Amino acid sequence: MSLLVVGTVALDSVKTPFGNVDNALGGSATYFSTSASYFTDVRLVAVIGEDFPKEHIQFLKSKAIDTRGLQQEKGKTFHWKGEYGYDLNEARTLATDLNVLATFQPVIIDDYKDSDVVFLANIDPEIQLDVLKQVRKPKLVACDTMNYWITSKLDALKRTLREVDLLTINEGEVRQLAGEASLVKAAKKVQAMGPKTVVVKQGSYGALMFSGGSVFSAPAFPLESVFDPTGAGDTFAGGFMGYLANTMNFSESSMRQAVIFGSVMASMNVEAFSLDRLRSLDYGEIEGRYREFKRLTHFEDI
């Protein structure tokens, strides 16, 4: 089944205690679409500048990602520069150059308007609303957001949330959005804003899914080596939504499986800089780590 993602494609400069990269392939929609491509057909809508390397487009196409929605404009590609200390859960932003992203107005081509599943990656909520006006009758709509939009465009974000079925968001942001210190109370308040399901990304601590009145917890996979957490949340969302788009089963049990697949993909992503780990990944590795997750969380009844 078809999965449409609208978000950012970027060039990232990242430094961690374990190395650094300059102008590497990044962006919310890039990580999401690459991760999701292991499960389903992906349609990518984003904007790039004249400086965007052709080899990056070829990489996306090599993953069978439909790039007809990738709009190239005059100017430079969105660029983010950040640095991580040994606490890899939080990045320090050194520079954000919006460039062509500052005037991005996504155009959803006719072939994309009937997409079964839509994911609105972390972008301006007004852009997210505009996308929803252009698609027809998707069976599942999900979105992501961040603290910047919660602070600067709360009203637009709340309008978006009324239109979506599912929200992915990190722990600090769900508390900020709800104005609640308790994570459980915060998730319930956000559910009341529109999305029936709220998936809270907790970085190296895993993920929590609030669906209806139930809660599902998945740990982060214990890794020997973590090089670069950039894009881990978007990679999680790609695996999560890609699995759902593949099965077209949106039951709670299916979403629980999707959380694990999302966690699998995120755990792979952080093992190398940029998308280098996802470049060489095969589905057998994904299935193997999924089984390891099951063993990690299994216990017998008394």
Side-chain angles (χ1 to χ4, degrees):
M1 293 294 179
S2 55
L3 171 57
L4 171 67
V5 56
V6 183
T8 61
V9 171
L11 297 175
D12 289 346
S13 297
V14 181
K15 182 179 180 181
T16 80
F18 315 108
N20 64 278
V21 291
D22 288 316
N23 291 316
L25 180 60
S28 61
T30 309
Y31 282 101
F32 178 96
S33 58
T34 303
S35 178
S37 71
Y38 285 93
F39 301 90
T40 192
D41 296 328
V42 183
R43 299 163 169 178
L44 170 62
V45 175
V47 64
I48 55 175
E50 298 164 305
D51 60 338
F52 193 73
K54 291 182 180 179
E55 59 263 31
H56 291 338
I57 298 176
Q58 290 305 314
F59 163 70
L60 294 170
K61 289 181 177 179
S62 76
K63 294 299 181 185
I65 296 167
D66 188 335
T67 60
R68 288 178 296 158
L70 198 57
Q71 302 167 207
Q72 189 164 38
E73 304 291 348
K74 290 183 178 180
K76 291 185 176 182
T77 303
F78 172 49
H79 175 254
W80 178 77
K81 184 176 182 180
E83 182 176 7
Y84 295 87
Y86 282 97
D87 179 5
L88 295 172
N89 281 317
E90 187 172 351
R92 184 165 69 95
T93 296
L94 303 177
T96 302
D97 304 310
L98 293 177
N99 298 326
V100 294
L101 185 63
T103 56
F104 178 43
Q105 295 294 327
V107 176
I108 310 302
I109 63 175
D110 285 343
D111 287 355
Y112 290 6
K113 290 180 179 179
D114 289 317
S115 296
D116 298 297
V117 178
V118 174
F119 186 76
L120 307 168
N122 179 20
I123 49 174
D124 187 326
E126 292 183 2
I127 293 178
Q128 293 175 328
L129 283 166
D130 184 57
V131 170
L132 291 179
K133 292 175 183 177
Q134 296 182 62
V135 295
R136 295 192 176 101
K137 292 183 178 180
K139 296 177 177 64
L140 180 71
V141 177
C143 77
D144 198 347
T145 194
M146 66 180 296
N147 53 2
Y148 178 80
W149 306 121
I150 296 170
T151 300
S152 64
K153 293 199 173 183
L154 182 59
D155 288 344
L157 177 57
K158 286 183 175 180
R159 291 198 300 273
T160 298
L161 292 178
R162 287 197 289 267
E163 304 297 326
V164 306
D165 305 296
L166 187 149
L167 171 68
T168 63
I169 188 169
N170 77 28
E171 188 171 350
E173 289 159 354
V174 74
R175 287 189 170 105
Q176 179 187 0
L177 178 58
E180 282 284 353
S182 163
L183 188 57
V184 174
K185 288 182 178 179
K188 287 181 178 179
K189 276 196 173 182
V190 173
Q191 284 178 295
M193 295 178 188
K196 296 176 182 177
T197 301
V198 175
V199 180
V200 181
K201 300 171 289 183
Q202 296 179 292
S204 62
Y205 301 105
L208 282 171
M209 181 177 71
F210 297 84
S211 183
S214 71
V215 183
F216 176 66
S217 175
F221 191 78
L223 297 168
E224 290 188 10
S225 300
V226 177
F227 284 91
D228 179 15
T230 306
D234 301 307
T235 305
F236 169 90
F240 178 86
M241 296 297 297
Y243 177 78
L244 292 179
N246 175 278
T247 62
M248 292 302 291
N249 179 353
F250 310 137
S251 67
E252 184 183 329
S253 60
S254 180
M255 286 192 178
R256 289 185 176 211
Q257 291 175 320
V259 168
I260 301 302
F261 274 112
S263 300
V264 165
M265 299 306 293
S267 73
M268 299 284 193
N269 175 70
V270 301
E271 292 179 325
F273 281 93
S274 184
L275 289 104
D276 288 352
R277 182 69 175 94
L278 300 186
R279 289 176 187 274
S280 58
L281 194 60
D282 65 63
Y283 196 75
E285 291 179 273
I286 296 171
E287 289 182 314
R289 188 159 289 183
Y290 181 86
R291 288 192 292 270
E292 290 182 65
F293 255 103
K294 289 191 71 175
R295 288 193 293 270
L296 176 67
T297 57
H298 178 77
F299 64 93
E300 299 290 347
D301 290 337
I302 295 174

